[in-house]
Amino acid sequence: MTRRKKIYEGKAKILYEGPEPGTLIQYFKDDTTAFDATKKAVLEGKGVINNRISEYIMTKLNSIGVQNHFIKRLNLREQLIKEVEIIPLEVVCRNIAAGSLSTRYGLPEGQILPRSIIEFYLKDDKLHDPMVSEEHITAFNWASTQEIDDMMALTLRVNDFLTGLFGGVGITLVDFKIEFGRVWENDFARVILADEISPDSCRLWDAITNEKLDKDRFRRDLGNVIESYTEVARRLGIMKEMPTVIQGGLH
């Protein structure tokens, strides 16, 4: 670990220099944070589970033509990814009222929205990731009008796919957050999906009981965070190499 050049460290992942130009190694940590990192914990095995779930989803998205940065998983905690120029926005897609949407507009949690709503937030912890409009995005040159259109179109495709994927295993996709990056080809930049898709970045409820199977279990002190993430992986059929982690056999 010490020999590699660290490019960036976030709250849940570390990026290292990749083996080839234009590649990075993405390492999934067990660190968990909420409320702008004012609440922190280390949840043993979380990084392993998120690595597998994100690999599974990104691979499936690639196969239906939603291009993303994932190349291949290297081991329990790492994946090889394409290096992208990250667009400094978090794109949130909401299908059901929960979290800040409920708080902001006084909507009861669990209310089905009339249609999927896409929101943009500026990626800036110091400013608490403020919500921004398309006017802000273009005025401050965070992304072009075309890039906004591309991100919205890709987000809706991801939403359709994930809704079906999770719905098929008895899980309701309430909302999710994704990020995008630019891949440059000569003078032309293409927008592709980046970061991760996991229970850290999605709200996932059991379709029958509405039990939360995501990071809200940590945010709200509901307990059984790892067990819930594991249940998501189990339902998706990707538990094969993880039981030892969950039993505390891996560090």
Side-chain angles (χ1 to χ4, degrees):
M1 296 288 285
T2 51
R3 293 191 304 277
R4 295 189 299 195
K5 184 180 175 190
K6 187 192 289 188
I7 305 294
Y8 170 82
E9 181 163 2
K11 294 190 283 278
K13 293 182 296 297
I14 304 173
L15 295 178
Y16 294 101
E17 199 169 54
E20 306 285 335
T23 66
L24 296 170
I25 291 170
Q26 180 167 260
Y27 175 91
F28 286 76
K29 304 196 287 188
D30 286 342
D31 299 37
T32 304
T33 63
F35 314 119
D36 293 321
T38 53
K39 181 175 185 176
K40 300 178 187 177
V42 175
L43 300 172
E44 190 175 319
K46 185 195 76 133
V48 175
I49 299 167
N50 282 352
N51 185 19
R52 283 296 276 123
I53 291 175
S54 197
E55 172 204 14
Y56 180 79
I57 291 172
M58 291 292 196
T59 303
K60 293 266 190 194
L61 286 169
N62 255 328
S63 72
I64 63 159
V66 177
Q67 292 185 315
N68 58 68
H69 73 169
F70 179 81
I71 299 172
K72 65 177 180 179
R73 186 168 57 85
L74 299 172
N75 52 47
L76 284 171
R77 289 186 179 275
E78 294 177 334
Q79 31 182 262
L80 185 67
I81 60 170
K82 294 177 192 135
E83 185 172 16
V84 301
E85 178 189 314
I86 285 288
I87 295 169
L89 298 167
E90 295 182 343
V91 185
V92 174
C93 183
R94 302 179 183 274
N95 301 310
I96 294 169
S100 66
L101 189 76
S102 293
T103 313
R104 212 181 310 133
Y105 302 119
L107 301 171
E109 184 170 272
Q111 179 178 316
I112 296 170
L113 301 175
R115 61 180 175 81
S116 300
I117 294 172
I118 295 176
E119 300 171 338
F120 293 96
Y121 295 82
L122 180 64
K123 270 174 63 73
D124 191 320
D125 286 344
K126 290 193 212 67
L127 300 175
H128 311 295
D129 300 332
M131 190 171 169
V132 294
S133 69
E134 293 183 35
E135 281 285 292
H136 295 121
I137 294 168
T138 53
F140 299 119
N141 206 27
W142 295 323
S144 67
T145 308
Q146 182 61 55
E147 286 173 333
I148 292 170
D149 289 348
D150 291 348
M151 287 189 286
M152 290 182 77
L154 285 165
T155 299
L156 290 173
R157 286 194 68 194
V158 171
N159 188 41
D160 286 346
F161 172 77
L162 291 181
T163 299
L165 178 73
F166 287 121
V169 293
I171 295 173
T172 302
L173 177 67
V174 176
D175 57 37
F176 63 93
K177 169 188 76 74
I178 50 180
E179 296 180 21
F180 293 92
R182 299 180 184 95
V183 177
W184 289 89
E185 290 153 354
N186 300 318
D187 292 336
F188 175 73
R190 194 160 38 88
V191 171
I192 67 169
L193 184 61
D195 197 42
E196 69 175 303
I197 298 179
S198 74
D200 266 11
S201 59
C202 304
R203 276 195 176 91
L204 304 169
W205 295 355
D206 181 90
I208 295 168
T209 65
N210 280 347
E211 181 186 1
K212 293 171 175 59
L213 301 172
D214 55 67
K215 195 173 167 180
D216 272 349
R217 299 203 69 86
F218 174 70
R219 290 187 191 99
R220 302 184 185 188
D221 295 318
L222 299 173
N224 294 337
V225 183
I226 291 298
E227 289 81 354
S228 299
Y229 282 35
T230 306
E231 176 63 13
V232 173
R234 187 191 67 76
R235 292 197 196 183
L236 291 173
I238 50 177
M239 274 297 293
K240 288 184 282 297
E241 56 194 87
M242 290 192 294
T244 50
V245 179
I246 307 315
Q247 291 157 16
L250 281 177
H251 298 272

